[in-house]
Amino acid sequence: MKQFRNTVIRAGLGALYFSGAYALLRPILSGVGAIFMLHHVRPGRDGAFQPNRHLEVTPEFLREMLVHLRSNDIDVVSMDEAHRRLIDRNFSRRFASFTFDDGYRDNRDFALPVMREFDAPLTIYVTSDFAEGIGRLWWIALEMAIANAMTIEATIDGTACRLDAATPAAKQNAFDRLHDWLRALPEHDLRREMSALCAGHGVDEAAICRDLCMSWDELKPLSADPLVAIGGHTVTHCNLAAQSGETAAEELTASRARIEAALDHAVVHLAYPYGDKGAAGAREFALAAAAGYRTAVTTRPGMVFAENAGHLTALPRVSLNGNYQNTRILPVLTSGAATAMWNGFRRVDAA
Ligand SMILES: [Zn+2]
């Protein structure tokens, strides 16, 4: 299903490009700006099994995007400035904001140098347990476990399963199956199942976070860089909508307090972990505002419209997806046509 959806999207984006339809749609779809969502930025890697590849783009692709924005006279702004323009209703110029989730070290090593070439600001949303070195990046642990395995055994919804993982294609199928199952589990069940998978396939789950994420000591100088803003991304990277109201509120306030204490900078911007409708809805939007965040971004696809000023803790984003790193896609992404296909041409989706 995932593969099918990717194929449709790829064909759809390509069709939009070649037909030139995105240019015709631009006046009604483009909105006042876009908030781009990125995770890893690093050189491409070899290997047929890269199930998390959608979460990484190359420094070259990031540079091409910035060149494209500059040549279209679109301002690249911080989330502070995006917020200001929204509340001031200052839409005389289109804007783009770059946001990076989770706090990966490659953001500093590969994304920041490219952003600096353009004097372009960025926001990095930090999960405080990741900076602490005690977080669990289960989707990467799952990739590593499957990469090591010829078969994977798991009890999925009460049924003992033995999944083939001998070839890259089989590994991808196993990943999709296990990812969908794990993603829907309550937090403590997810942790238990991942611990078992990691133990069974020689993966040091605790090391992943320290290998990939910036520590407080690394974040401190980064947060002092005038181009960089650090935002919040909860304490544990949990699905907030699946928590009690009390726990969700605590995730939002405690992570903010932890980051502010460690970095001595105010934290006023938030990204919801996972960020889709199943992870962030009306309750979370209200909790984020109550916790003092000025803006909060989802992973709901869409451009920013003037109406979003009334929904500052439910902002949509445009994913820079590693599966579509093709310069032909750039004008489609900035036209709003790509995300409009996803959200049924609704301008604001904040319910
Ligand atoms: Zn995240």
Side-chain angles (χ1 to χ4, degrees):
M1 185 60 197
K2 200 166 282 171
Q3 200 57 46
F4 172 74
R5 203 173 63 180
N6 282 345
T7 306
V8 168
I9 292 291
R10 192 178 297 124
L13 292 175
L16 277 169
Y17 175 78
F18 287 113
S19 67
Y22 68 90
L24 296 173
L25 292 169
R26 184 173 294 165
I28 47 168
L29 295 177
S30 60
V32 297
I35 303 168
F36 292 113
M37 167 174 63
L38 301 93
H39 291 81
H40 296 280
V41 177
R42 60 190 176 195
R45 295 173 295 156
D46 292 332
F49 176 58
Q50 294 192 45
N52 288 304
R53 185 167 179 265
H54 61 289
L55 298 176
E56 63 181 275
V57 300
T58 64
E60 292 72 32
F61 184 69
L62 177 59
R63 183 178 292 109
E64 282 160 0
M65 187 48 148
L66 285 155
V67 167
H68 174 75
L69 293 170
R70 274 288 145 79
S71 67
N72 282 275
D73 204 26
I74 295 171
D75 294 341
V76 178
V77 304
S78 64
M79 285 304 294
D80 275 346
E81 177 62 17
H83 174 257
R84 198 174 304 128
R85 290 185 187 198
L86 278 166
I87 56 172
D88 291 348
R89 308 228 156 223
N90 170 10
F91 306 127
S92 55
R93 293 179 55 80
R94 293 188 70 205
F95 67 84
S97 200
F98 283 77
T99 63
F100 299 75
D101 289 13
D102 301 337
Y104 297 114
R105 188 172 295 113
D106 55 48
N107 294 176
R108 179 197 66 189
D109 295 344
F110 294 105
L112 180 58
V114 175
M115 300 301 285
R116 204 183 296 290
E117 286 171 33
F118 297 83
D119 200 26
L122 63 155
T123 301
I124 299 175
Y125 297 111
V126 167
T127 296
S128 55
D129 271 2
F130 292 178
E132 208 80 50
I134 57 170
R136 307 193 23 147
L137 292 86
W138 65 269
W139 56 96
I140 296 170
L142 180 64
E143 173 180 346
M144 293 169 75
I146 296 173
N148 291 345
M150 293 300 281
T151 59
I152 295 261
E153 288 175 20
T155 303
I156 300 177
D157 303 326
T159 308
C161 299
R162 189 182 174 87
L163 303 175
D164 177 22
T167 65
K171 286 182 193 298
Q172 183 66 54
N173 285 336
F175 183 90
D176 290 345
R177 179 95 189 272
L178 292 166
H179 187 278
D180 287 353
W181 164 60
L182 291 162
R183 176 78 174 74
L185 289 180
E187 224 73 34
H188 60 277
D189 292 348
L190 167 63
R191 287 178 177 233
R192 186 193 61 236
E193 296 295 340
M194 276 315 304
S195 294
L197 278 171
C198 287
H201 297 282
V203 175
D204 181 357
E205 196 183 6
I208 295 172
C209 177
R210 295 191 292 272
D211 284 348
L212 294 177
C213 297
M214 287 180 280
S215 66
W216 296 123
D217 284 347
E218 292 171 300
L219 285 165
K220 179 91 179 166
L222 193 62
S223 69
D225 191 309
L227 282 183
V228 178
I230 304 294
H233 198 40
T234 74
V235 176
T236 63
H237 204 277
C238 61
N239 176 342
L240 288 171
Q243 313 301 317
S244 69
E246 196 182 345
T247 302
E250 175 69 10
E251 283 275 347
L252 294 171
T253 51
S255 55
R256 182 176 183 214
R258 184 73 188 92
I259 299 169
E260 288 183 339
L263 304 181
D264 203 19
H265 267 275
V267 171
V268 294
H269 304 290
L270 168 77
Y272 303 100
Y274 311 109
D276 56 14
K277 280 186 191 245
R283 185 191 72 170
E284 289 67 42
F285 302 154
L287 286 174
Y293 291 99
R294 276 184 217 151
T295 74
V297 291
T298 65
T299 60
R300 298 185 188 197
M303 310 300 275
V304 177
F305 288 89
E307 297 93 312
N308 283 113
H311 307 277
L312 290 167
T313 55
L315 296 172
R317 287 192 286 179
V318 177
S319 170
L320 292 192
N321 181 318
N323 287 328
Y324 312 109
Q325 297 185 67
N326 184 318
T327 51
R328 292 200 316 253
I329 291 303
L330 295 175
V332 185
L333 289 175
T334 50
S335 75
T339 55
M341 290 201 311
W342 272 106
N343 63 24
F345 293 88
R346 271 192 306 271
R347 282 163 69 96
V348 172
D349 178 14

